[in-house]
Amino acid sequence: MEKVERGADALDYAPCNYGASRLICRGPRCDLDGDDYIAVLGGIETFGQFVERPYPARLEAALGMPCINLAAVNSGPDAWMGDQTVMDLARGARLTVIAVPGAHMLRNKFYTVHSRRNDRVVRQSEFMRRVFPELDLSQNFFVRHLLNDLFEASERRFAVVRDELQKLWVTRMNQLTARIGGDVILVWIGDRSPDDPTDTVCDGDPPFVTRAMLRSLRGRIRATIEVLDQSSTMEEALEGKHFAPDERDAALRVPGPRAHQNIADALRDAIAPLIGDEPDILSQLAQRTA
C-alpha cells in the first residue's frame, strides 16, 4: 500500500483499500452487507484532508446508511474507471455520489497522467512537443505546473489543449456513469460556480468544467448539488482544520468542517426522497450528529 503523507499535527486518516483496489481511500474501512449503501467517489476534497469528519461520514450519520468513501487524493475518472474494485462497489451501491472532478487530470493526446495519482504527468507526447517546440517540459511532473507553463507560452495554443480536455471530460464522465449504471448525484465542490470563466487552472476549482459540460452528461443523474467555499478570510479558511505548519498552504485549498457539513446537509436533502426515508426523521438524525 502506498504511504499517505501526514504532518506531525495531522489526523490519522486510517487509510485503507478495498479488495484488490490499489487506491488508498479514507478510513476507517466500511463493512458492507448487501447493496444497501451509498458509494462516494471523489478526490482530495471528498477524502477530507485536514478534516476530522469528511462529508461522507457526516452523510452516513444523517441517513443511517453506510456511505463508503472511495475518494483517493488527487484521483479522477481515469483512476476510478481503471480500478475494477471501485467500479464494482459503485455499481453495487444503492446510489453513487460523484464529486465533480476537474478536466485537467485526464490522459489525453498531449500528456499521460499517473494511473492513480491523476495530478502527476508520467509522459508527454510527441504531439505536445510539436505544438510547443520552444519549451523544455522535461521537468514538468505535475499537471497544474505543466498547464501553467503552456498557457504562459501561448494562450492561443493553450486553448487547443483546454478544448481537448473539456471534450474528453464529457466523454469520460459519460463513460463513468454508464459503467456505474445506477442513480448518480453530482456534487460540485469548489471556489467557483460552473457559470464562472475557467480559462486557466488558476481560475478556480474544478478547473475547466462549465455549466454546459454538466448539462451534456447522460446517465441516471438525479441531481447536481453545488456547494461553494464561502470563506472570506484566511482564519475562516483554516478554521477546524488539522495540519502541520508546513501544510498551511495546502490546508487553505481544501474545504473545512463547515463546508463538509453543508455538503452533507445538501446531499441528505437530495438523497432522502430517492431512498424513501422520511424527511423529519432525517432532520432529527442530522441534529443529533452535527
Side-chain angles (χ1 to χ4, degrees), residues 15-161:
C16 65
N17 52 13
Y18 292 86
S21 174
R22 298 184 66 189
L23 289 182
I24 301 176
C25 301
R26 175 73 180 258
R29 187 190 308 273
C30 186
D31 294 324
L32 303 176
D33 183 16
D35 61 357
D36 201 21
Y37 65 91
I38 292 170
V40 187
L41 300 179
I44 193 169
E45 295 86 357
T46 303
F47 184 90
Q49 193 163 28
F50 309 123
V51 175
E52 188 171 1
R53 293 181 67 230
Y55 71 85
R58 295 169 186 262
L59 181 63
E60 177 175 283
L63 293 176
M65 174 183 290
C67 293
I68 179 171
N69 190 342
L70 296 172
V73 174
N74 296 318
S75 65
D78 285 353
W80 307 331
M81 287 192 289
D83 193 300
Q84 189 59 50
T85 299
V86 168
M87 284 291 91
D88 288 344
L89 287 168
R91 189 162 46 245
R94 185 144 170 207
L95 179 145
T96 300
V97 174
I98 303 175
V100 175
H104 59 310
M105 298 194 302
L106 298 170
R107 69 183 186 279
N108 57 82
K109 65 183 180 183
F110 294 95
Y111 57 85
T112 301
V113 297
H114 190 276
S115 59
R116 296 183 300 281
R117 297 291 295 256
N118 296 161
D119 65 325
R120 298 183 181 181
V121 179
V122 297
R123 188 177 302 107
Q124 297 168 21
S125 70
E126 181 59 34
F127 183 68
M128 165 84 85
R129 288 186 280 272
R130 291 202 303 269
V131 175
F132 295 90
E134 75 277 24
L135 297 183
D136 177 8
L137 302 171
S138 59
Q139 300 304 307
N140 289 86
F141 302 122
F142 291 90
V143 171
R144 286 181 184 265
H145 295 165
L146 173 64
L147 293 173
N148 274 328
D149 285 352
L150 299 183
F151 178 78
E152 291 177 1
S154 170
E155 293 185 28
R156 179 180 59 83
R157 283 176 285 164
F158 176 78
V160 177
V161 180

Side-chain angles (χ1 to χ4, degrees), residues 150-204:
L150 299 183
F151 178 78
E152 291 177 1
S154 170
E155 293 185 28
R156 179 180 59 83
R157 283 176 285 164
F158 176 78
V160 177
V161 180
R162 185 181 61 240
D163 291 347
E164 163 82 357
L165 292 171
Q166 290 177 321
K167 291 174 184 176
L168 278 177
W169 185 92
V170 173
T171 299
R172 300 272 170 80
M173 287 295 289
N174 278 329
Q175 291 172 342
L176 176 62
T177 56
R179 287 185 59 181
I180 291 171
D183 290 340
V184 169
I185 289 184
L186 300 177
V187 55
W188 177 281
I189 307 170
D191 51 7
R192 54 172 285 269
S193 161
D195 302 309
D196 293 337
T198 179
D199 296 324
T200 77
V201 289
C202 297
D203 287 335

Side-chain angles (χ1 to χ4, degrees), residues 208-226:
F208 304 143
V209 182
T210 67
R211 179 79 64 190
M213 292 163 63
L214 293 173
R215 289 172 175 162
S216 297
L217 298 183
R218 301 186 298 272
R220 294 165 61 176
I221 298 174
R222 304 301 297 270
T224 299
I225 306 301
E226 297 177 24

